[in-house]
Amino acid sequence: MGHPIGLKHETWYGRGQLNFNMCFVVAKESTIDCMYEPLVQKFAEYLVDLEMECGFLHIAEKRAQLPTIMRKVFTDLNTCGECVLPVTELTTLYLKLCPSYRGVEPPKVSLYMVPMFIRATQLTPALIDKMDVLSQKIIPKIDGIRCVKEIATEVEIDPDLVMRCVRNLHFYECVSLVPLFLYSNTYVATEKLHDFYSNPSEIEDCLQFVRNRLPDGELGPVPQFCDVFRLLMSLKCGVTLRDWCDTMTPRRYNVDERRLVQFGMHHQFLRKLSIYPIATIPTNEVERSGKIFRLCDGTRALEDLAVIYDMMPDELHYKLIESGKFKFISK
């Protein structure tokens, strides 16, 4: 795939015009070739900037750098998915492959989703200084515990802007999104728990991550894997995490239940059962009984309703239970 460009200049070029075509060669059977199209165009535009800046293409001595630059871009995109390459004092190449969503928009971000970094990131002052102003405020608050709404409240930024920033981070595979941790939630193991059991590296990461935090801020002893796995296996339908904690007392095994759930959700060997309220009043009374009764038709999860009514999901859940006019389905 290429991006041909023609530049006109009466004195620079022998025929008054310089034509060039920057091309990327992608395997014919590739299903993600669309990922490279914007990079080809951007690379070609960088070459235009360099030509206008210093005659990079028509001056032979400067053009001799091009094969080295192309090789560097080729290597970095294939190994790292991105390339940052200073060429002159004024021009630096910034190229990054976007993940392929096969033409589908990435998931929308809810106020009650919790962003978690996919890989360990050291937020050094030098790194933060390179971010835009919005990201400088938001990213240091991402800890795998705070939801989007809590981050927005803490940094005093419009929640819509925070959601947009988090969505961009999710799009570029910097963060994953997990549901808000609540003791009223129900969590169950998935089939990926078997893969976790067979992955020593992931097990070690888990044991380190779920350790209790002592009152003085120090980490508690590393728990035994047999205890952690037994705790995971004991999560089941119909049992809220609050009841599970009362029964299993994970702290007794040096396990922080919040961190255990977050780790399991992040690695997808746990999932949260969403609660879908259904109004139990007669159908002919729904229209005149209020908006909440129309919305609670079994198609909207409690978290979505909580966003509409601007309250925490467990608070809304309690109010619906208290009214006695709703039943709940978990799935």
Side-chain angles (χ1 to χ4, degrees):
M1 62 182 68
H3 187 71
I5 289 179
L7 300 176
K8 294 183 178 181
H9 199 288
E10 293 298 330
T11 57
W12 280 7
Y13 313 128
R15 297 182 179 180
Q17 181 165 324
L18 171 67
N19 298 323
F20 70 91
N21 188 9
M22 172 54 63
C23 296
F24 281 16
V25 180
V26 183
K28 183 179 180 180
E29 63 274 10
S30 173
T31 59
I32 58 171
D33 54 323
C34 58
M35 294 171 58
Y36 294 95
E37 291 175 3
L39 292 190
V40 176
Q41 180 178 347
K42 190 174 183 181
F43 197 175
E45 290 169 352
Y46 274 127
L47 293 178
V48 172
D49 292 341
L50 287 166
E51 173 68 2
M52 296 297 102
E53 176 191 336
C54 61
F56 188 82
L57 296 178
H58 79 274
I59 298 176
E61 294 80 6
K62 295 182 178 180
R63 189 173 63 244
Q65 302 175 50
L66 193 54
T68 303
I69 293 172
M70 293 170 65
R71 192 174 297 110
K72 173 69 172 173
V73 170
F74 171 80
T75 302
D76 286 2
L77 289 181
N78 277 301
T79 56
C80 310
E82 61 182 57
C83 178
V84 179
L85 178 61
V87 181
T88 68
E89 291 184 0
L90 298 179
T91 303
T92 299
L93 272 61
Y94 294 95
L95 300 171
K96 183 178 178 69
L97 279 171
C98 296
S100 172
Y101 283 92
R102 302 185 184 278
V104 178
E105 282 286 311
K108 291 186 177 179
V109 177
S110 162
L111 285 174
Y112 295 104
M113 285 182 172
V114 178
M116 295 181 68
F117 283 112
I118 289 175
R119 47 189 175 271
T121 304
Q122 295 295 327
L123 294 177
T124 61
L127 179 60
I128 292 176
D129 286 343
K130 294 179 182 178
M131 302 175 185
D132 60 81
V133 176
L134 188 64
S135 298
Q136 286 180 9
K137 293 185 176 182
I138 294 171
I139 289 178
K141 302 299 180 183
I142 295 176
D143 58 359
I145 303 297
R146 297 182 182 94
C147 67
V148 171
K149 185 175 182 180
E150 290 171 327
I151 293 173
T153 301
E154 186 158 340
V155 299
E156 299 181 342
I157 294 177
D158 188 317
D160 287 339
L161 294 177
V162 177
M163 283 193 291
R164 189 180 305 171
C165 177
V166 170
R167 193 173 188 226
N168 285 338
L169 292 171
H170 181 49
F171 181 83
Y172 287 108
E173 298 183 338
C174 297
V175 300
S176 63
L177 297 170
V178 298
L180 177 65
F181 175 90
L182 294 171
Y183 283 97
S184 57
N185 287 344
T186 298
Y187 300 91
V188 295
T190 71
E191 65 277 3
K192 290 190 176 182
L193 188 61
H194 180 272
D195 298 332
F196 168 67
Y197 184 84
S198 308
N199 189 332
S201 174
E202 198 168 283
I203 289 172
E204 182 59 30
D205 290 343
C206 178
L207 296 181
Q208 294 296 332
F209 185 80
V210 304
R211 294 162 67 182
N212 270 332
R213 268 55 181 172
L214 302 177
D216 59 2
E218 294 294 321
L219 292 173
V222 178
Q224 296 293 318
F225 174 64
C226 58
D227 293 330
V228 172
F229 195 77
R230 183 166 51 82
L231 289 170
L232 290 169
M233 290 295 294
S234 64
L235 292 164
K236 56 186 178 181
C237 296
V239 179
T240 65
L241 194 69
R242 183 181 293 109
D243 295 337
W244 177 83
C245 287
D246 291 341
T247 303
M248 301 302 296
T249 55
R251 302 282 174 143
R252 184 176 60 183
Y253 304 104
N254 303 312
V255 173
D256 183 326
E257 66 277 0
R258 175 189 286 265
R259 298 179 74 83
L260 177 65
V261 167
Q262 294 296 76
F263 188 91
M265 295 289 292
H266 177 66
H267 290 273
Q268 299 180 351
F269 57 76
L270 289 182
R271 72 180 182 93
K272 182 182 79 70
L273 295 181
S274 294
I275 298 173
Y276 293 81
I278 300 176
T280 56
I281 62 174
T283 306
N284 58 353
E285 295 181 15
V286 169
E287 285 300 321
R288 62 174 182 268
S289 296
K291 181 180 178 181
I292 185 65
F293 292 94
R294 294 195 300 274
L295 293 175
C296 291
D297 57 359
T299 63
R300 295 176 179 84
L302 192 66
E303 290 85 353
D304 299 329
L305 294 168
V307 172
I308 295 172
Y309 285 94
D310 193 24
M311 62 174 66
M312 292 294 288
D314 54 347
E315 180 186 354
L316 177 60
H317 192 200
Y318 176 77
K319 289 181 179 294
L320 295 179
I321 293 173
E322 197 176 40
S323 73
K325 297 180 179 179
F326 299 87
K327 61 181 180 180
F328 304 91
I329 296 175
S330 295
K331 59 181 179 180

